[in-house]
Amino acid sequence: MTSIRSRFGKPVRFLLYGAAAAAVGGVCVLLLAVVLLSPSLPSIESLAEQPLKVPMRVFSTEGRLLAEFGEEKRILLKPDDVPPLMINAVLAAEDRDFYGHHGVDFTGILRAMWHNLRTGSSGQGASTITMQVARNFFLSPEKTYSRKFKEILLAFKIERELSKNEILELYLNKIFLGHRAYGFGAAAQIYYGKSVNDLTLPEIAMLAGLPKAPSRNNPLSNPDTALERRNYVLQRMRALDFIDEETFDVAKAAPLTASKHALRFDVEAPYIAEMVRQYMVDRYDESSYAGGFNVYTTIRADYQQAANLALRKGLHAYERRHGYRGPASRVNVDASEVAQTDLDEALAGFRVIGDLLPGIVLSLQEKSARVYTQDGYIVEVDWDGLSWARGYIDESNLGPPVRKASDVLAPGDIVYLQYADAEPAKSPEKEAPEQQPGRWLLAQVPQVAGAVVALRPSDGAILALTGGFDFHESKFNRATQAERQPGSNLKPFIYSAALEKGFTAATPVSGAPVVIKDPGLEELWRPDNYSERFFGPTPLRKALTLSINLVSVRLLRAIDPSYAVDYLQRFGFDRNRLPRNLSLALGTASATPLQMATAFAVFANTGYKIEPYFITRVEDSEGNILEQANPAVICRECEQKEDGSPTTNGAVTDLVQAHGLHIAPRVISEDNAFIMTSIMQDVIKRGTGRRALELGRADLAGKTGTTNEFRDAWFSGFTPDLVATAWIGFDQPSSLGPGEAGARAALPIWIDFMATALKGVPEHQLPVPKDVVAMSVDRNTGDPTDPEDPLAIVEYFIPGTEPTVAGAPAPGEDAGATTATAAPPKVEPIPKDLF
């Protein structure tokens, strides 16, 4: 026995000493590594405070989502917001002992090291959720032992200083899950179009399986591998008793349902969203895309939806009046043999444009067509949806009437369809066509353009704005960028200038032919009226109601174009866009739809200049308000100087200023605004805008606008609480075609918008200002008359401009005066050659 001990004792002791020394050396090396690496580890405070890249979101005034901007799609979640089943799925897939360990799973690390030593690779990992948080926030993704050691050290540090729920919150929101989705909130939306609380168990397991390899296990790009990974997660959940056997069997048998979902916006408002994006980038630089800003706009969701629908309806109506330009493309189709996959492939290069859905004509009957749509259904387009489609020749001419479907379509035509009464940019519910309300119409992507903008006249808030048929087809915002001639839409401002000069709504001005030699024009000018009729002396009220051009020309000549240009600046028009010659009378200026709506707001609010704005507040990701709108407001009780600035006295003015409010300047008198509004109410009651009578309201006022050769069509109209402008024309100015005046092309758009915007809103008639003089005049001559005269109307006058009747005292005269006189104009006598 002694010999055996002596034989093996020394080697054993040597081995034991060697092992002990190696262990001590290893510990020393580890301690040295800890000492050397610890100072280079980031502080946990920086981890907790490091902001996640959260996209900027844009909301309507009611808080409905309009848009989102940012490279990383992320919807922040708190652990309490996440269903327990999803937490369990994540723990089963990634870290079953998360709540038991201190940041590192040593058993898992040893298992991974043994695997890597055997295979000669470094691909096997054993990262806990805490280690993944450390790696995702601070470390590179490379799989090396040095990086893994840093990861372990940092995981210990994180566990010491953060709670388990804080670590889990960082993980749920930071981890990359493919297709630009960061965090489980965004992944639920992108893969399933749902919030995390609406996911089914198979969907939860699918998402929980993504962190390990978001590309390889992706249900969109690798469905077979993704299904295996999903079922593995379900097996782990079953093994840990997170689900029972029956639930496991049902979930495992479920098919894959993931598909790419764009973020759903509650309201379609891309043009206003782009305005917000540009503002935020200018204000906050590129950080606006990742700072989690929430921008609340002035947009009213119901108004915006109404504007979208009204504009598209108006553009479609114009297109139908001018003929069908043919299919978007053609493919070879045999309806009896073609496979659905071939149809889908043929339509893959087309997309929904506005409210138009692409499809392929499969077959024709005499007066109908069967069309396969991009959303996978076969629908029928009946004769009502086809019969409009006479061939387009040019804006003035159409081909022969359509007598059968084959006159318009052929099998294989790729066409666009409109679903009547459908919401914009959406297909109808997927059910048999005969069970669906409404009907399908053959349509085409409009070449004509348009815009609608609506303001609140009391402060300038933009309540609705759409700058075109489809933002992705054309990002040019016609509401704010299209500088077009307003035509007769400009006349009310010239008439307002005339009232300021002493003219009245009853002043007669000749509408007879005239030849103009104007130094501002290159040659003799012979303007005419749109109706090609000529009028004798016509009261200004009637002249504006009927939009008589020749009266406007004479009126502008009387007040002087230079004076008119200066006066129009009060409404916000750019003097550099206003010609200083008589062509201004016919609206040869340049203005955008937003500028026109802003100008008409002065009449709507009784004379105050407001500035349009579209952002009410900007919040950071924590809900702190960074900016708050402070628009100039109307204060009728505030005393003002002639230039509109507040005086130093007046209790109301002091109160307004004490609250940090800005007072909108008065730019025209209340009397002037009231009289002009009453004239424009006549435009609707009996003039070029009388189609708007279908709205059944008495508080509407407005003015049509048509430019030379029908290049632009306008309508601007208002109530005391809402002003809106509709414009239609080609981006490259050219004729819309004969008869496409404002009353035909633009007014119906305005009516459709206002029908929704004013639904349920009580009428609001402005009271007659206390200084305005009311008296009876002849509607055709403007002369004072007996109130019982069948041609009598009540006319309104700015004090000092009203006519007097023989035998009646003029204002300020002794009661004994008997001669008929006319009160002198306030500024200068009216030229006699006007009459």
Side-chain angles (χ1 to χ4, degrees), residues 419-737:
Y419 188 70
D421 302 322
E423 293 182 359
K426 292 182 180 179
S427 301
E429 295 298 322
K430 294 187 176 181
E431 53 182 335
E434 59 271 20
Q435 297 174 334
Q436 299 170 353
R439 57 197 172 93
W440 290 96
L441 308 173
L442 177 66
Q444 59 192 357
V445 179
Q447 291 185 347
V448 71
V452 174
V453 60
L455 304 175
R456 185 166 57 222
S458 60
D459 67 351
I462 297 177
L463 303 177
L465 183 149
T466 179
F469 183 80
D470 183 277
F471 178 77
H472 301 288
E473 212 39 31
S474 171
K475 294 178 174 58
F476 181 61
N477 188 342
R478 296 155 188 87
T480 62
Q481 296 175 299
E483 295 188 348
R484 306 295 292 241
Q485 290 190 9
S488 298
N489 219 219
L490 198 69
K491 288 178 181 176
F493 307 100
I494 295 171
Y495 278 57
S496 175
L499 295 185
E500 189 78 6
K501 278 282 195 177
F503 286 79
T504 77
T507 302
V509 175
S510 175
V514 64
V515 178
I516 303 293
K517 185 177 182 180
D518 188 335
L521 300 173
E522 296 180 357
E523 55 186 23
L524 292 178
W525 182 38
R526 293 177 174 83
D528 57 12
N529 295 320
Y530 168 73
S531 66
E532 298 184 351
R533 294 172 53 204
F534 297 107
F535 297 80
T538 307
L540 292 189
R541 175 179 292 274
K542 182 177 180 180
L544 186 60
T545 298
L546 300 178
S547 198
I548 302 175
N549 290 339
L550 293 171
V551 170
S552 299
V553 172
R554 284 186 168 87
L555 189 63
L556 179 61
R557 184 174 63 176
I559 65 173
D560 185 63
S562 293
Y563 171 77
V565 167
D566 293 339
Y567 186 85
L568 264 60
Q569 289 181 87
R570 303 185 189 187
F571 298 87
F573 292 108
D574 183 351
R575 66 182 301 119
N576 296 320
R577 299 286 191 270
L578 301 172
R580 290 181 175 269
N581 57 55
L582 294 180
S583 70
L584 180 64
L586 305 187
T588 58
S590 293
T592 67
L594 178 59
Q595 289 172 329
M596 294 306 300
T598 304
F600 274 91
V602 175
F603 296 129
N605 65 32
T606 70
Y608 297 87
K609 176 64 173 67
I610 49 89
E611 295 296 332
Y613 71 103
F614 55 91
I615 294 176
T616 57
R617 71 183 186 276
V618 178
E619 296 179 358
D620 64 16
S621 59
E622 301 297 321
N624 301 309
I625 296 177
L626 305 179
E627 295 183 41
Q628 183 86 42
N630 187 17
V633 296
I634 292 171
C635 179
R636 293 184 176 86
E637 293 78 16
C638 300
E639 298 181 26
Q640 292 181 325
K641 300 176 183 178
E642 287 187 3
D643 63 1
S645 61
T647 60
T648 55
N649 56 16
V652 176
T653 301
D654 294 340
L655 183 63
V656 168
Q657 292 180 329
H659 284 79
L661 301 178
H662 304 293
I663 302 173
R666 178 175 284 286
V667 293
I668 64 173
S669 70
E670 183 182 10
D671 299 348
N672 188 311
F674 173 81
I675 293 171
M676 288 305 307
T677 297
S678 76
I679 296 175
M680 285 186 279
Q681 287 179 336
D682 274 5
V683 171
I684 289 177
K685 291 174 183 176
R686 55 183 63 89
T688 56
R690 57 188 174 275
R691 183 170 180 172
L693 291 173
E694 67 186 67
L695 293 172
R697 299 179 66 98
D699 60 347
L700 302 174
K703 183 67 185 75
T704 52
T706 309
T707 60
N708 196 32
E709 297 181 355
F710 301 98
R711 291 172 181 264
D712 301 90
W714 297 80
F715 191 84
S716 296
F718 56 91
T719 71
D721 305 305
L722 180 65
V723 57
T725 290
W727 167 82
I728 184 171
F730 288 104
D731 286 336
Q732 299 299 320
S734 61
S735 176
L736 291 166

Side-chain angles (χ1 to χ4, degrees), residues 245-259:
E245 190 69 28
E246 182 182 356
T247 303
F248 167 75
D249 290 337
V250 172
K252 185 178 179 182
L256 289 181
T257 58
S259 60

Side-chain angles (χ1 to χ4, degrees), residues 150-461:
K150 290 180 182 179
E151 190 178 299
I152 292 171
L153 294 180
L154 186 55
F156 281 132
K157 191 173 183 180
I158 290 172
E159 288 275 349
R160 286 198 307 270
E161 300 187 32
L162 295 180
S163 70
K164 288 289 186 179
N165 271 1
E166 288 174 327
I167 297 169
L168 186 60
E169 180 180 339
L170 290 171
Y171 179 81
L172 291 173
N173 290 306
K174 176 69 175 178
I175 196 73
F176 176 62
L177 298 172
H179 288 278
R180 296 173 60 195
Y182 288 81
F184 286 87
Q189 172 62 53
I190 287 176
Y191 291 110
Y192 297 107
K194 301 178 181 180
S195 72
V196 291
N197 289 295
D198 295 327
L199 295 173
T200 65
L201 174 58
E203 293 167 347
I204 286 173
M206 178 64 71
L207 297 185
L210 285 173
K212 184 176 181 63
S215 296
R216 185 177 70 243
N217 297 329
N218 194 281
L220 303 184
S221 52
N222 293 297
D224 293 337
T225 307
L227 186 62
E228 292 178 10
R229 178 65 178 169
R230 184 202 71 176
N231 291 342
Y232 166 78
V233 174
L234 291 170
Q235 289 169 357
R236 296 294 303 146
M237 295 180 73
R238 176 68 192 101
L240 296 170
D241 285 329
F242 290 153
I243 56 176
D244 59 32
E245 190 69 28
E246 182 182 356
T247 303
F248 167 75
D249 290 337
V250 172
K252 185 178 179 182
L256 289 181
T257 58
S259 60
K260 185 68 177 288
H261 289 75
L263 183 63
R264 291 183 179 179
F265 301 135
D266 298 326
V267 182
E268 185 185 4
Y271 290 96
I272 201 77
E274 175 61 14
M275 292 166 63
V276 170
R277 187 198 67 80
Q278 291 176 359
Y279 171 82
M280 292 296 291
V281 171
D282 290 343
R283 181 77 170 80
Y284 298 97
D285 301 321
E286 296 298 317
S287 64
S288 59
Y289 294 128
F293 293 104
N294 292 319
V295 185
Y296 290 85
T297 68
T298 56
I299 294 296
R300 275 190 52 166
D302 54 344
Y303 284 19
Q304 182 62 39
Q305 290 169 333
N308 295 339
L309 287 169
L311 179 62
R312 286 173 177 162
K313 181 180 176 182
L315 297 182
H316 284 314
Y318 174 87
E319 289 288 323
R320 284 193 291 272
R321 289 196 296 271
H322 292 272
Y324 183 56
R325 293 187 300 275
S329 185
R330 286 190 174 91
V331 294
N332 292 323
V333 165
D334 184 341
S336 62
E337 298 179 2
V338 67
Q340 182 173 342
T341 54
D342 295 332
L343 296 174
D344 291 337
E345 183 178 348
L347 291 172
F350 297 86
R351 65 174 188 86
V352 173
I353 299 178
D355 57 351
L356 301 181
L357 182 67
I360 298 177
V361 177
L362 297 180
S363 62
L364 302 175
Q365 298 295 322
E366 183 179 3
K367 293 195 174 183
S368 66
R370 292 175 69 248
V371 180
Y372 176 83
T373 63
Q374 194 177 58
D375 57 0
Y377 287 83
I378 297 175
V379 301
E380 182 173 332
V381 183
D382 62 21
W383 188 240
D384 288 339
L386 293 173
S387 57
W388 67 269
R390 297 172 65 181
Y392 168 85
I393 297 176
D394 57 37
E395 301 307 323
S396 303
N397 298 283
L398 293 171
V402 176
R403 303 191 183 281
K404 55 185 182 299
S406 59
D407 291 343
V408 179
L409 300 174
D413 284 356
I414 295 180
V415 298
Y416 285 94
L417 301 182
Q418 180 193 9
Y419 188 70
D421 302 322
E423 293 182 359
K426 292 182 180 179
S427 301
E429 295 298 322
K430 294 187 176 181
E431 53 182 335
E434 59 271 20
Q435 297 174 334
Q436 299 170 353
R439 57 197 172 93
W440 290 96
L441 308 173
L442 177 66
Q444 59 192 357
V445 179
Q447 291 185 347
V448 71
V452 174
V453 60
L455 304 175
R456 185 166 57 222
S458 60
D459 67 351

